[in-house]
Amino acid sequence: ARLPADPAHGPDRQLARVIELARQHRPDLVLLTGDIANDASPQAYQRTKTMVGELGSPIIAIPGNHDRADTVDDAFGQVRDTTVANWRVVGLDTTIAGREHGRVDTETAIAMLGPDTGRPTVLAMHHPPITTSTHPWFQLNGAAKFVTALSQRSDVRCVITGHLHQAFHVTLGTITYIGCSSTWYSLSHHGETFKPDGGHVGALIIHLHHDGTFDWHRLPESRNQ
């Protein structure tokens, strides 16, 4: 895919715009759903950490296929399980070193979630287990088994992902799967083809309520799009 060439739409400038939009919401937590640095350099992670840190919120950073997990941990820490408004928020690493596609081992992931107590939970991961793309780069090995296992739990209410650079959402049973937009540029996917388009670029805001319900909207965009 050809990346945007206009410096005014470069990754740092675009991220700064998104941070400015998010500032008014005073988030309790910032989730970075992977591909944080295109070159996986420590300098890029520190630059991102400084910029996102202006929000004054805790950060959970999940590695993507362009990242090095150890370098992400060095920059942002290894905390990928926290609490917000009585909800549990868990980050899951789906990357395979040196590969574009991802994988999830259902038994390991379910063991990480632990016993199903019914406590409302947001699960964040880079590779989406549900995708309209059939291109090998955008697949998650083990996805079908994982989705089935999640459907049998009462705690996971929302799964948020990155990777596609495409805003989407789908609800299966009691779980809503939401694709986060890229802060840099968007792609459209049709089978094995994908190309840059004029789709949503920005962030996702999730409001977690104490009764176990939630609502969400994109920045900038209308509610639940």
Side-chain angles (χ1 to χ4, degrees):
R2 179 177 296 176
L3 304 183
D6 183 357
H9 294 87
D12 287 57
R13 185 70 64 85
Q14 291 289 82
L15 178 59
R17 290 170 177 167
V18 172
I19 289 171
E20 192 58 36
L21 287 171
R23 192 186 308 277
Q24 61 183 308
H25 293 272
R26 303 178 65 181
D28 296 305
L29 177 71
V30 174
L31 278 172
L32 304 179
T33 54
D35 285 357
I36 300 164
N38 197 53
D39 62 359
S41 69
Q43 295 80 7
Y45 293 125
Q46 288 299 326
R47 195 164 74 247
T48 302
K49 182 179 180 180
T50 297
M51 294 176 69
V52 177
E54 295 175 4
L55 293 171
S57 309
I59 301 170
I60 287 182
I62 304 159
N65 51 284
H66 286 289
D67 298 311
R68 284 178 52 97
D70 56 346
T71 314
V72 171
D73 288 347
D74 287 344
F76 295 96
Q78 300 181 16
V79 176
R80 296 198 182 118
D81 192 335
T82 192
T83 297
V84 176
N86 200 42
W87 284 64
R88 186 182 179 194
V89 180
V90 179
L92 177 63
D93 183 357
T94 56
T95 59
I96 306 172
R99 300 295 183 92
E100 298 285 347
H101 68 282
R103 68 180 168 206
V104 58
D105 180 83
T106 295
E107 286 73 19
T108 301
I110 295 301
M112 180 192 69
L113 286 171
D116 183 3
T117 63
R119 180 185 180 188
T121 298
V122 172
L123 182 61
M125 49 203 290
H126 182 64
H127 297 85
I130 296 175
T131 172
T132 58
S133 174
T134 57
H135 192 288
W137 287 357
F138 298 103
Q139 304 309 302
L140 176 67
N141 294 349
K145 182 178 180 180
F146 184 59
V147 169
T148 298
L150 290 183
S151 72
Q152 297 169 356
R153 298 179 66 99
S154 64
D155 53 353
V156 177
R157 313 288 173 83
C158 179
V159 177
I160 61 174
T161 58
H163 194 47
L164 294 185
H165 290 238
Q166 184 177 49
F168 73 90
H169 71 281
V170 61
T171 299
L172 296 179
T174 60
I175 303 176
T176 300
Y177 294 82
I178 308 176
C180 293
S181 308
S182 168
T183 59
W184 186 8
Y185 65 95
S186 65
L187 296 174
S188 59
H189 296 266
H190 303 280
E192 289 200 4
T193 66
F194 61 95
K195 62 181 180 180
D197 67 355
H200 185 263
V201 172
L204 178 74
I205 297 289
I206 303 179
H207 300 276
L208 304 175
H209 306 299
H210 285 279
D211 63 359
T213 62
F214 70 96
D215 58 82
W216 56 276
H217 65 280
R218 300 187 190 274
L219 294 177
E221 203 163 309
S222 61
R223 187 166 296 272
N224 289 9
Q225 297 294 316

